[in-house]
Amino acid sequence: MFSYSKDGIKVSTCIDTRKANAQGTYPVKIQVNYKGVREYFPTGKSLSKRNAKVSRSIEAAPIKTSEMIYKAALKS
């Protein structure tokens, strides 16, 4: 997924695999880290685990940068 960091603020995209939606896909969220606080914001986009090639959830760890997943999310 996409990741950017500057001046102590980190912004990245991740897939929330805790619960699938009605289509069997998972929501793509924007994760913002600032001063030890982590917040997630919905993007309105969803991907399947197969398309994302990711099986980790938000609870386990943030998903690393992957340009392929980011571009797929934009196309959805």
Side-chain angles (χ1 to χ4, degrees), residues 18-46:
R18 294 177 290 184
K19 184 177 178 187
N21 61 23
Q23 295 80 22
T25 59
Y26 298 89
V28 176
K29 296 191 176 188
I30 296 174
Q31 175 186 348
V32 179
N33 294 308
Y34 179 64
K35 292 187 177 180
V37 177
R38 183 180 297 165
E39 292 285 331
Y40 295 94
F41 301 93
T43 62
K45 305 291 183 183
S46 295

Side-chain angles (χ1 to χ4, degrees), residues 4 13 30 42 51 53 58 67-68:
Y4 178 78
T13 54
I30 296 174
N51 288 342
K53 298 191 190 283
I58 286 175
E67 205 61 29
M68 187 266 317

Side-chain angles (χ1 to χ4, degrees), residues 13-15 17 31 38 40 54-64:
T13 54
C14 57
I15 298 174
T17 58
Q31 175 186 348
R38 183 180 297 165
Y40 295 94
V54 173
S55 61
R56 294 186 297 172
S57 71
I58 286 175
E59 297 170 319
I63 298 167
K64 302 293 182 198

